[in-house]
Amino acid sequence: MLSIQNLQVNYGGIEAVKGISFDVPEGEIVTLIGANGAGKSSTLRAISGLVKPKGGKILFRGEDITGKNPTEIVSRGITLVPEGRRIFADLTVKENLRVGAYLRKDDISEDMEWVFSLFPRLREREWQAGGTLSGGEQQMLAVGRALMSRPKVMMMDEPSLGLAPLVVREIFRIIEEVNKKGVTILLIEQNANMALKTADMGYVMETGRVTMSGPGQELLANESVKAAYLGT
Ligand code: ATP
């Protein structure tokens, strides 16, 4: 569904992504893992159109979408749940969800209902200001907002960051549930253990390059992945 070919991202003289290639097949969960600064967020930002790649190609369903603007990317069905959630603190939960559907002109009530059924806690807090939610609830809201654009691919930047283990498990349960509904997922995570358990395919990034790849379960069992990323 998504094909990343020799992608390069530079910031001035800094080479953040040095020519990486990977595919995200339709219906699957793919994860990029790696340490801080490996280039994971830059990869997602390039796919989202938030930074212009220095080189390489991004294909979506066979079409070249490299360098297109973020609105165009969202309208094609690729959405990003950004690191740090970035929800609107002064808007209510419901208003935040409506923002996610800003490009749609059709009826959004069914999707709103779906999001509330995935996250009953958001329904209970529908009129509450986003800024007053807990970290876990804000992450749920960020996922819900992304789903309101009815994405074909949902990209997630470190959804587990700063959350308690129980909440992390809940977020991963929801990722699987959303995926079962047919949404393809590209997930980047420092929580390699949870990410690899959930993913069909995993890619390990180190200083701007992909150094290892394989099915999630295989990487989980790989000795050098264990030593470097799983703390075992
Ligand atoms: P993190 O988990 O911290 O987001 P990451 O693997 O996603 O890490 P990136 O955020 O993509 O890594 O960063 C890759 C490299 O690019 C790092 O060396 C970082 O310092 C640099 N970088 C990222 N954003 C910018 C920017 N806006 N300007 C300059 N350098 C940047």
Side-chain angles (χ1 to χ4, degrees):
M1 174 164 259
L2 257 184
S3 181
I4 312 304
Q5 302 177 354
N6 197 26
L7 179 70
Q8 291 155 261
V9 179
N10 284 15
Y11 302 102
I14 299 170
E15 297 179 17
V17 180
K18 302 171 187 167
I20 64 165
S21 301
F22 63 94
D23 286 326
V24 185
E26 183 155 11
E28 292 199 359
I29 302 178
V30 172
T31 188
L32 300 182
I33 61 165
N36 229 327
K40 308 181 300 296
S41 298
S42 300
T43 302
L44 293 198
R45 283 202 287 269
I47 300 171
S48 310
L50 297 169
V51 296
K52 297 252 181 284
K54 168 90 190 333
K57 270 200 177 130
I58 301 163
L59 303 182
F60 178 59
R61 296 188 150 164
E63 272 180 66
D64 192 346
I65 57 162
T66 323
K68 299 228 180 284
N69 67 54
T71 306
E72 165 90 29
I73 302 289
V74 172
S75 67
R76 282 174 188 244
I78 305 173
T79 188
L80 173 69
V81 183
E83 186 174 352
R85 350 285 191 216
R86 306 269 175 96
I87 61 153
F88 297 98
D90 296 330
L91 299 186
T92 66
V93 165
K94 205 163 185 179
E95 286 165 342
N96 267 282
L97 292 176
R98 278 205 201 99
V99 170
Y102 78 106
L103 285 175
R104 291 177 51 186
K105 291 179 180 62
D106 54 335
D107 183 16
I108 62 168
S109 53
E110 223 174 86
D111 299 84
M112 189 75 83
E113 196 43 47
W114 179 43
V115 169
F116 281 144
S117 68
L118 279 174
F119 304 106
R121 259 195 284 176
L122 293 185
R123 192 198 298 276
E124 288 163 20
R125 290 163 173 73
E126 140 181 31
W127 303 110
Q128 200 170 314
T132 64
L133 300 176
S134 72
E137 290 160 357
Q138 290 193 7
Q139 184 62 57
M140 290 172 194
L141 182 54
V143 173
R145 183 182 57 188
L147 291 176
M148 290 301 292
S149 70
R150 218 182 256 179
K152 298 183 179 74
V153 180
M154 183 166 76
M155 304 194 292
M156 309 180 77
D157 193 340
E158 303 263 2
S160 76
L161 198 70
L163 302 180
L166 209 66
V167 183
V168 171
R169 277 204 289 280
E170 171 73 2
I171 295 290
F172 274 89
R173 185 189 64 74
I174 279 150
I175 293 172
E176 285 180 330
E177 198 168 325
V178 168
N179 176 247
K180 283 201 186 92
K181 295 274 182 199
V183 181
T184 302
I185 310 272
L186 174 57
L187 167 71
I188 71 174
E189 262 299 344
Q190 285 189 53
N191 187 339
N193 193 29
M194 283 300 282
L196 292 175
K197 270 186 190 149
T198 311
D200 297 293
M201 272 298 282
Y203 293 83
V204 180
M205 276 190 84
E206 277 169 43
T207 57
R209 297 182 202 281
V210 170
T211 53
M212 246 186 293
S213 64
Q217 295 299 331
E218 218 166 85
L219 290 179
L220 265 181
N222 179 290
E223 290 305 325
S224 47
V225 172
K226 276 192 196 168
Y229 301 105
L230 302 175
T232 49

